Amino acid sequence: MILANPSDDREMITAEERSVFRRIGLKMKAYLPVGIRGVFDGVIENMHLHWKHREVVKLITKQKTLAFVEETARLLEYESGGILVAIERVPKGHALIFYRGKNYRRPINIRPRNLLTKAKALKRAVAMQRHEALSQHIEQLEINMKKMKRDLGMEDYDEEDEDGSGSESEDDTTGYDEGMEDYDKEEEDESDSEDEDN
């Protein structure tokens, strides 16, 4: 999926026009659902089909996070070329209201080729859900492991091991040096005794 860049020559609407289009959009019974697939080529095609008969189109998404809803709205605005009028909370989710613009011209290809198809969008949504569920599961496992270590007192034991590892290595090296000194002394004593015998 290759996203479209926002147009530099965007049409503007006044606050009064925005308020009028908002009321019209909220009163509309017909709407386009944005499901788990998100934004794909079929959603943009349906928006242009609605704009053929109406100036305003309403989409409803069931996304719970407002940041995701705003991101979806901006993506729809860039891909369709319409004007985002309002994002409103409704019983079914969030309503996204778009105005086609005064200078609207229906594109030759109303199904953009830079977006995913319906099947590929479903695969992407399923993969994202699995990734999110797996991430939450791993996070919960890490929390449970820390709790079990805390209950068993293993965290304190691990810290003591880390602190004692350095001192043990130092003791080993000092013991090795002392042993070597004793060994050297014994060799000197043996050599001296052999000289006396001779």
Side-chain angles (χ1 to χ4, degrees):
M1 183 173 66
I2 303 174
L3 303 180
N5 295 323
S7 177
D8 297 333
D9 187 17
R10 295 178 58 189
E11 185 177 343
M12 305 297 293
I13 57 175
T14 62
E16 185 178 356
E17 290 175 335
R18 188 179 298 273
S19 177
V20 172
F21 293 140
R22 175 182 170 276
R23 287 198 301 268
I24 294 173
L26 291 175
K27 291 180 181 179
M28 291 175 60
K29 294 182 179 180
Y31 67 90
L32 296 175
V34 180
I36 61 171
R37 295 178 179 86
V39 180
F40 60 98
D41 56 359
V43 178
I44 306 300
E45 180 183 13
N46 289 330
M47 290 179 69
H48 287 293
L49 292 176
H50 272 69
W51 280 334
K52 183 178 179 180
H53 305 286
R54 305 178 185 88
E55 290 184 336
V56 178
V57 63
K58 178 170 69 175
L59 298 93
I60 292 182
T61 176
K62 293 184 179 180
Q63 292 174 321
K64 297 179 181 180
T65 308
L66 184 59
F68 292 157
V69 175
E70 292 177 350
E71 183 180 356
T72 301
R74 296 302 176 190
L75 180 58
L76 289 169
E77 186 178 23
Y78 296 156
E79 296 293 339
S80 66
I83 302 172
L84 177 62
V85 175
I87 300 175
E88 296 292 335
R89 179 72 180 176
V90 293
K92 294 182 179 180
H94 286 87
L96 311 176
I97 302 171
F98 291 90
Y99 171 56
R100 69 181 184 182
K102 300 175 183 177
N103 302 323
Y104 172 73
R105 290 183 180 180
R106 187 178 180 183
I108 299 174
N109 186 13
I110 61 177
R111 183 186 288 263
R113 296 181 179 180
N114 60 321
L115 295 180
L116 297 178
T117 61
K118 187 176 182 179
K120 291 182 179 180
L122 180 60
K123 290 181 180 180
R124 180 192 62 178
V126 172
M128 291 176 65
Q129 287 181 351
R130 288 177 180 175
H131 181 269
E132 183 178 359
L134 184 61
S135 300
Q136 293 177 357
H137 182 63
I138 293 173
E139 184 178 357
Q140 187 63 38
L141 285 177
E142 291 177 350
I143 295 173
N144 294 338
M145 288 177 62
K146 289 181 180 179
K147 185 178 179 181
M148 290 176 64
K149 285 184 177 181
R150 193 181 303 111
D151 295 339
L152 297 173
M154 294 179 64
E155 288 188 352
D156 298 335
Y157 181 74
D158 293 340
E159 291 177 357
E160 290 178 359
D161 288 345
E162 291 178 357
D163 296 337
S165 60
S167 60
E168 288 179 358
S169 61
E170 292 177 358
D171 294 339
D172 293 341
T173 55
T174 53
Y176 177 76
D177 294 339
E178 291 176 356
M180 290 298 293
E181 290 178 357
D182 295 337
Y183 180 75
D184 294 338
K185 288 180 180 179
E186 289 177 359
E187 285 188 347
E188 290 177 358
D189 294 338
E190 290 178 356
S191 61
D192 294 338
S193 62
E194 289 178 357
D195 295 338
E196 291 176 356
D197 294 337
N198 293 330

PDB file of all heavy atoms in Angstrom, residues 14-40:
ATOM      1  N   THR A  14     -15.953  27.560   4.804  1.00  0.00           N
ATOM      2  CA  THR A  14     -16.128  28.464   5.935  1.00  0.00           C
ATOM      3  C   THR A  14     -16.693  27.696   7.130  1.00  0.00           C
ATOM      4  O   THR A  14     -17.164  26.559   7.009  1.00  0.00           O
ATOM      5  CB  THR A  14     -17.064  29.615   5.558  1.00  0.00           C
ATOM      6  OG1 THR A  14     -18.356  29.084   5.227  1.00  0.00           O
ATOM      7  CG2 THR A  14     -16.517  30.371   4.348  1.00  0.00           C
ATOM      8  N   ALA A  15     -16.684  28.335   8.270  1.00  0.00           N
ATOM      9  CA  ALA A  15     -17.216  27.712   9.485  1.00  0.00           C
ATOM     10  C   ALA A  15     -18.718  27.498   9.366  1.00  0.00           C
ATOM     11  O   ALA A  15     -19.263  26.502   9.870  1.00  0.00           O
ATOM     12  CB  ALA A  15     -16.897  28.587  10.696  1.00  0.00           C
ATOM     13  N   GLU A  16     -19.419  28.441   8.682  1.00  0.00           N
ATOM     14  CA  GLU A  16     -20.865  28.286   8.503  1.00  0.00           C
ATOM     15  C   GLU A  16     -21.173  27.088   7.601  1.00  0.00           C
ATOM     16  O   GLU A  16     -22.085  26.295   7.894  1.00  0.00           O
ATOM     17  CB  GLU A  16     -21.434  29.570   7.893  1.00  0.00           C
ATOM     18  CG  GLU A  16     -22.953  29.556   7.769  1.00  0.00           C
ATOM     19  CD  GLU A  16     -23.487  30.866   7.213  1.00  0.00           C
ATOM     20  OE1 GLU A  16     -22.677  31.788   7.000  1.00  0.00           O
ATOM     21  OE2 GLU A  16     -24.713  30.951   6.994  1.00  0.00           O
ATOM     22  N   GLU A  17     -20.419  26.955   6.514  1.00  0.00           N
ATOM     23  CA  GLU A  17     -20.618  25.806   5.621  1.00  0.00           C
ATOM     24  C   GLU A  17     -20.309  24.498   6.346  1.00  0.00           C
ATOM     25  O   GLU A  17     -21.021  23.499   6.171  1.00  0.00           O
ATOM     26  CB  GLU A  17     -19.739  25.953   4.382  1.00  0.00           C
ATOM     27  CG  GLU A  17     -20.158  27.059   3.445  1.00  0.00           C
ATOM     28  CD  GLU A  17     -19.177  27.230   2.308  1.00  0.00           C
ATOM     29  OE1 GLU A  17     -17.994  26.863   2.469  1.00  0.00           O
ATOM     30  OE2 GLU A  17     -19.593  27.735   1.247  1.00  0.00           O
ATOM     31  N   ARG A  18     -19.269  24.509   7.156  1.00  0.00           N
ATOM     32  CA  ARG A  18     -18.919  23.307   7.903  1.00  0.00           C
ATOM     33  C   ARG A  18     -20.044  22.902   8.849  1.00  0.00           C
ATOM     34  O   ARG A  18     -20.358  21.712   8.999  1.00  0.00           O
ATOM     35  CB  ARG A  18     -17.620  23.538   8.677  1.00  0.00           C
ATOM     36  CG  ARG A  18     -17.061  22.296   9.342  1.00  0.00           C
ATOM     37  CD  ARG A  18     -15.754  22.641  10.072  1.00  0.00           C
ATOM     38  NE  ARG A  18     -14.732  23.104   9.143  1.00  0.00           N
ATOM     39  CZ  ARG A  18     -13.903  22.288   8.484  1.00  0.00           C
ATOM     40  NH1 ARG A  18     -13.988  20.983   8.663  1.00  0.00           N
ATOM     41  NH2 ARG A  18     -12.990  22.787   7.671  1.00  0.00           N
ATOM     42  N   SER A  19     -20.644  23.885   9.503  1.00  0.00           N
ATOM     43  CA  SER A  19     -21.747  23.594  10.422  1.00  0.00           C
ATOM     44  C   SER A  19     -22.955  23.025   9.680  1.00  0.00           C
ATOM     45  O   SER A  19     -23.600  22.079  10.150  1.00  0.00           O
ATOM     46  CB  SER A  19     -22.142  24.874  11.174  1.00  0.00           C
ATOM     47  OG  SER A  19     -23.235  24.638  12.017  1.00  0.00           O
ATOM     48  N   VAL A  20     -23.249  23.582   8.492  1.00  0.00           N
ATOM     49  CA  VAL A  20     -24.388  23.091   7.700  1.00  0.00           C
ATOM     50  C   VAL A  20     -24.136  21.650   7.242  1.00  0.00           C
ATOM     51  O   VAL A  20     -24.998  20.771   7.370  1.00  0.00           O
ATOM     52  CB  VAL A  20     -24.643  24.018   6.493  1.00  0.00           C
ATOM     53  CG1 VAL A  20     -25.687  23.398   5.563  1.00  0.00           C
ATOM     54  CG2 VAL A  20     -25.095  25.391   6.965  1.00  0.00           C
ATOM     55  N   PHE A  21     -22.948  21.390   6.705  1.00  0.00           N
ATOM     56  CA  PHE A  21     -22.632  20.037   6.229  1.00  0.00           C
ATOM     57  C   PHE A  21     -22.595  19.044   7.383  1.00  0.00           C
ATOM     58  O   PHE A  21     -22.946  17.871   7.212  1.00  0.00           O
ATOM     59  CB  PHE A  21     -21.293  20.045   5.483  1.00  0.00           C
ATOM     60  CG  PHE A  21     -21.316  20.808   4.200  1.00  0.00           C
ATOM     61  CD1 PHE A  21     -20.239  21.609   3.828  1.00  0.00           C
ATOM     62  CD2 PHE A  21     -22.414  20.746   3.347  1.00  0.00           C
ATOM     63  CE1 PHE A  21     -20.258  22.321   2.640  1.00  0.00           C
ATOM     64  CE2 PHE A  21     -22.437  21.463   2.157  1.00  0.00           C
ATOM     65  CZ  PHE A  21     -21.362  22.242   1.803  1.00  0.00           C
ATOM     66  N   ARG A  22     -22.198  19.499   8.549  1.00  0.00           N
ATOM     67  CA  ARG A  22     -22.186  18.621   9.716  1.00  0.00           C
ATOM     68  C   ARG A  22     -23.593  18.193  10.092  1.00  0.00           C
ATOM     69  O   ARG A  22     -23.857  17.004  10.369  1.00  0.00           O
ATOM     70  CB  ARG A  22     -21.507  19.328  10.890  1.00  0.00           C
ATOM     71  CG  ARG A  22     -21.548  18.561  12.198  1.00  0.00           C
ATOM     72  CD  ARG A  22     -20.899  19.346  13.330  1.00  0.00           C
ATOM     73  NE  ARG A  22     -21.146  18.738  14.615  1.00  0.00           N
ATOM     74  CZ  ARG A  22     -22.238  18.937  15.344  1.00  0.00           C
ATOM     75  NH1 ARG A  22     -23.195  19.777  14.898  1.00  0.00           N
ATOM     76  NH2 ARG A  22     -22.390  18.321  16.504  1.00  0.00           N
ATOM     77  N   ARG A  23     -24.547  19.148  10.105  1.00  0.00           N
ATOM     78  CA  ARG A  23     -25.937  18.813  10.428  1.00  0.00           C
ATOM     79  C   ARG A  23     -26.531  17.886   9.372  1.00  0.00           C
ATOM     80  O   ARG A  23     -27.252  16.934   9.698  1.00  0.00           O
ATOM     81  CB  ARG A  23     -26.775  20.090  10.542  1.00  0.00           C
ATOM     82  CG  ARG A  23     -26.489  20.906  11.801  1.00  0.00           C
ATOM     83  CD  ARG A  23     -27.617  21.881  12.081  1.00  0.00           C
ATOM     84  NE  ARG A  23     -27.809  22.808  10.967  1.00  0.00           N
ATOM     85  CZ  ARG A  23     -27.230  23.991  10.864  1.00  0.00           C
ATOM     86  NH1 ARG A  23     -26.394  24.398  11.824  1.00  0.00           N
ATOM     87  NH2 ARG A  23     -27.468  24.785   9.832  1.00  0.00           N
ATOM     88  N   ILE A  24     -26.214  18.147   8.113  1.00  0.00           N
ATOM     89  CA  ILE A  24     -26.727  17.283   7.036  1.00  0.00           C
ATOM     90  C   ILE A  24     -26.181  15.863   7.187  1.00  0.00           C
ATOM     91  O   ILE A  24     -26.909  14.869   7.047  1.00  0.00           O
ATOM     92  CB  ILE A  24     -26.355  17.870   5.665  1.00  0.00           C
ATOM     93  CG1 ILE A  24     -27.077  19.196   5.442  1.00  0.00           C
ATOM     94  CG2 ILE A  24     -26.694  16.887   4.556  1.00  0.00           C
ATOM     95  CD1 ILE A  24     -26.643  19.920   4.183  1.00  0.00           C
ATOM     96  N   GLY A  25     -24.893  15.760   7.479  1.00  0.00           N
ATOM     97  CA  GLY A  25     -24.283  14.446   7.609  1.00  0.00           C
ATOM     98  C   GLY A  25     -24.819  13.649   8.782  1.00  0.00           C
ATOM     99  O   GLY A  25     -25.035  12.433   8.672  1.00  0.00           O
ATOM    100  N   LEU A  26     -25.065  14.318   9.902  1.00  0.00           N
ATOM    101  CA  LEU A  26     -25.578  13.606  11.067  1.00  0.00           C
ATOM    102  C   LEU A  26     -27.018  13.137  10.863  1.00  0.00           C
ATOM    103  O   LEU A  26     -27.436  12.120  11.434  1.00  0.00           O
ATOM    104  CB  LEU A  26     -25.488  14.496  12.311  1.00  0.00           C
ATOM    105  CG  LEU A  26     -24.077  14.799  12.818  1.00  0.00           C
ATOM    106  CD1 LEU A  26     -24.113  15.775  13.980  1.00  0.00           C
ATOM    107  CD2 LEU A  26     -23.363  13.515  13.233  1.00  0.00           C
ATOM    108  N   LYS A  27     -27.780  13.858  10.051  1.00  0.00           N
ATOM    109  CA  LYS A  27     -29.178  13.470   9.786  1.00  0.00           C
ATOM    110  C   LYS A  27     -29.289  12.367   8.731  1.00  0.00           C
ATOM    111  O   LYS A  27     -30.351  11.748   8.609  1.00  0.00           O
ATOM    112  CB  LYS A  27     -29.979  14.699   9.342  1.00  0.00           C
ATOM    113  CG  LYS A  27     -30.209  15.721  10.443  1.00  0.00           C
ATOM    114  CD  LYS A  27     -31.006  16.899   9.924  1.00  0.00           C
ATOM    115  CE  LYS A  27     -31.231  17.938  11.007  1.00  0.00           C
ATOM    116  NZ  LYS A  27     -32.005  19.122  10.497  1.00  0.00           N
ATOM    117  N   MET A  28     -28.238  12.148   7.990  1.00  0.00           N
ATOM    118  CA  MET A  28     -28.286  11.134   6.936  1.00  0.00           C
ATOM    119  C   MET A  28     -28.412   9.732   7.546  1.00  0.00           C
ATOM    120  O   MET A  28     -27.717   9.395   8.494  1.00  0.00           O
ATOM    121  CB  MET A  28     -27.017  11.206   6.066  1.00  0.00           C
ATOM    122  CG  MET A  28     -26.913  12.441   5.199  1.00  0.00           C
ATOM    123  SD  MET A  28     -25.320  12.517   4.320  1.00  0.00           S
ATOM    124  CE  MET A  28     -25.401  10.999   3.365  1.00  0.00           C
ATOM    125  N   LYS A  29     -29.315   8.938   6.990  1.00  0.00           N
ATOM    126  CA  LYS A  29     -29.455   7.552   7.437  1.00  0.00           C
ATOM    127  C   LYS A  29     -28.484   6.627   6.714  1.00  0.00           C
ATOM    128  O   LYS A  29     -28.045   5.629   7.272  1.00  0.00           O
ATOM    129  CB  LYS A  29     -30.886   7.079   7.218  1.00  0.00           C
ATOM    130  CG  LYS A  29     -31.916   7.814   8.082  1.00  0.00           C
ATOM    131  CD  LYS A  29     -33.315   7.261   7.855  1.00  0.00           C
ATOM    132  CE  LYS A  29     -34.330   7.975   8.739  1.00  0.00           C
ATOM    133  NZ  LYS A  29     -35.708   7.436   8.535  1.00  0.00           N
ATOM    134  N   ALA A  30     -28.190   6.935   5.469  1.00  0.00           N
ATOM    135  CA  ALA A  30     -27.256   6.107   4.702  1.00  0.00           C
ATOM    136  C   ALA A  30     -25.825   6.431   5.125  1.00  0.00           C
ATOM    137  O   ALA A  30     -25.464   7.596   5.279  1.00  0.00           O
ATOM    138  CB  ALA A  30     -27.431   6.357   3.207  1.00  0.00           C
ATOM    139  N   TYR A  31     -25.041   5.406   5.310  1.00  0.00           N
ATOM    140  CA  TYR A  31     -23.642   5.589   5.690  1.00  0.00           C
ATOM    141  C   TYR A  31     -22.824   4.415   5.162  1.00  0.00           C
ATOM    142  O   TYR A  31     -23.356   3.357   4.803  1.00  0.00           O
ATOM    143  CB  TYR A  31     -23.496   5.702   7.210  1.00  0.00           C
ATOM    144  CG  TYR A  31     -23.820   4.440   7.970  1.00  0.00           C
ATOM    145  CD1 TYR A  31     -22.837   3.491   8.245  1.00  0.00           C
ATOM    146  CD2 TYR A  31     -25.119   4.193   8.409  1.00  0.00           C
ATOM    147  CE1 TYR A  31     -23.120   2.334   8.924  1.00  0.00           C
ATOM    148  CE2 TYR A  31     -25.419   3.035   9.094  1.00  0.00           C
ATOM    149  CZ  TYR A  31     -24.422   2.103   9.359  1.00  0.00           C
ATOM    150  OH  TYR A  31     -24.718   0.939  10.034  1.00  0.00           O
ATOM    151  N   LEU A  32     -21.506   4.631   5.144  1.00  0.00           N
ATOM    152  CA  LEU A  32     -20.574   3.597   4.723  1.00  0.00           C
ATOM    153  C   LEU A  32     -19.830   3.075   5.958  1.00  0.00           C
ATOM    154  O   LEU A  32     -19.255   3.873   6.704  1.00  0.00           O
ATOM    155  CB  LEU A  32     -19.550   4.151   3.726  1.00  0.00           C
ATOM    156  CG  LEU A  32     -20.094   4.650   2.384  1.00  0.00           C
ATOM    157  CD1 LEU A  32     -18.974   5.272   1.570  1.00  0.00           C
ATOM    158  CD2 LEU A  32     -20.735   3.502   1.619  1.00  0.00           C
ATOM    159  N   PRO A  33     -19.848   1.775   6.201  1.00  0.00           N
ATOM    160  CA  PRO A  33     -19.116   1.242   7.358  1.00  0.00           C
ATOM    161  C   PRO A  33     -17.632   1.059   7.049  1.00  0.00           C
ATOM    162  O   PRO A  33     -17.253   0.647   5.951  1.00  0.00           O
ATOM    163  CB  PRO A  33     -19.795  -0.108   7.608  1.00  0.00           C
ATOM    164  CG  PRO A  33     -20.287  -0.534   6.262  1.00  0.00           C
ATOM    165  CD  PRO A  33     -20.640   0.737   5.509  1.00  0.00           C
ATOM    166  N   VAL A  34     -16.799   1.381   8.018  1.00  0.00           N
ATOM    167  CA  VAL A  34     -15.358   1.128   7.942  1.00  0.00           C
ATOM    168  C   VAL A  34     -15.061   0.047   8.969  1.00  0.00           C
ATOM    169  O   VAL A  34     -15.035   0.310  10.166  1.00  0.00           O
ATOM    170  CB  VAL A  34     -14.536   2.387   8.216  1.00  0.00           C
ATOM    171  CG1 VAL A  34     -13.044   2.090   8.127  1.00  0.00           C
ATOM    172  CG2 VAL A  34     -14.911   3.493   7.255  1.00  0.00           C
ATOM    173  N   GLY A  35     -14.886  -1.185   8.498  1.00  0.00           N
ATOM    174  CA  GLY A  35     -14.729  -2.324   9.389  1.00  0.00           C
ATOM    175  C   GLY A  35     -13.299  -2.557   9.811  1.00  0.00           C
ATOM    176  O   GLY A  35     -12.461  -1.646   9.816  1.00  0.00           O
ATOM    177  N   ILE A  36     -13.014  -3.819  10.137  1.00  0.00           N
ATOM    178  CA  ILE A  36     -11.673  -4.162  10.625  1.00  0.00           C
ATOM    179  C   ILE A  36     -10.631  -4.056   9.515  1.00  0.00           C
ATOM    180  O   ILE A  36      -9.441  -3.944   9.786  1.00  0.00           O
ATOM    181  CB  ILE A  36     -11.665  -5.582  11.212  1.00  0.00           C
ATOM    182  CG1 ILE A  36     -12.049  -6.614  10.143  1.00  0.00           C
ATOM    183  CG2 ILE A  36     -12.579  -5.686  12.407  1.00  0.00           C
ATOM    184  CD1 ILE A  36     -11.848  -8.036  10.604  1.00  0.00           C
ATOM    185  N   ARG A  37     -11.066  -4.083   8.258  1.00  0.00           N
ATOM    186  CA  ARG A  37     -10.112  -3.973   7.155  1.00  0.00           C
ATOM    187  C   ARG A  37      -9.504  -2.584   7.075  1.00  0.00           C
ATOM    188  O   ARG A  37      -8.453  -2.399   6.473  1.00  0.00           O
ATOM    189  CB  ARG A  37     -10.795  -4.317   5.824  1.00  0.00           C
ATOM    190  CG  ARG A  37     -11.267  -5.756   5.713  1.00  0.00           C
ATOM    191  CD  ARG A  37     -11.972  -5.986   4.386  1.00  0.00           C
ATOM    192  NE  ARG A  37     -12.426  -7.357   4.216  1.00  0.00           N
ATOM    193  CZ  ARG A  37     -13.568  -7.827   4.645  1.00  0.00           C
ATOM    194  NH1 ARG A  37     -14.408  -7.018   5.295  1.00  0.00           N
ATOM    195  NH2 ARG A  37     -13.894  -9.091   4.461  1.00  0.00           N
ATOM    196  N   GLY A  38     -10.195  -1.594   7.637  1.00  0.00           N
ATOM    197  CA  GLY A  38      -9.679  -0.231   7.562  1.00  0.00           C
ATOM    198  C   GLY A  38      -9.949   0.386   6.198  1.00  0.00           C
ATOM    199  O   GLY A  38     -10.970   0.112   5.557  1.00  0.00           O
ATOM    200  N   VAL A  39      -9.028   1.212   5.752  1.00  0.00           N
ATOM    201  CA  VAL A  39      -9.170   1.915   4.472  1.00  0.00           C
ATOM    202  C   VAL A  39      -8.545   1.062   3.368  1.00  0.00           C
ATOM    203  O   VAL A  39      -7.363   0.753   3.417  1.00  0.00           O
ATOM    204  CB  VAL A  39      -8.499   3.298   4.524  1.00  0.00           C
ATOM    205  CG1 VAL A  39      -8.646   4.012   3.193  1.00  0.00           C
ATOM    206  CG2 VAL A  39      -9.098   4.135   5.654  1.00  0.00           C
ATOM    207  N   PHE A  40      -9.355   0.679   2.388  1.00  0.00           N
ATOM    208  CA  PHE A  40      -8.858  -0.028   1.211  1.00  0.00           C
ATOM    209  C   PHE A  40      -9.536   0.568  -0.017  1.00  0.00           C
ATOM    210  O   PHE A  40     -10.313   1.539   0.090  1.00  0.00           O
ATOM    211  CB  PHE A  40      -9.081  -1.540   1.326  1.00  0.00           C
ATOM    212  CG  PHE A  40     -10.519  -1.951   1.478  1.00  0.00           C
ATOM    213  CD1 PHE A  40     -11.253  -2.377   0.389  1.00  0.00           C
ATOM    214  CD2 PHE A  40     -11.138  -1.920   2.718  1.00  0.00           C
ATOM    215  CE1 PHE A  40     -12.571  -2.758   0.515  1.00  0.00           C
ATOM    216  CE2 PHE A  40     -12.464  -2.306   2.864  1.00  0.00           C
ATOM    217  CZ  PHE A  40     -13.176  -2.717   1.757  1.00  0.00           C
TER     218      PHE A  40
END
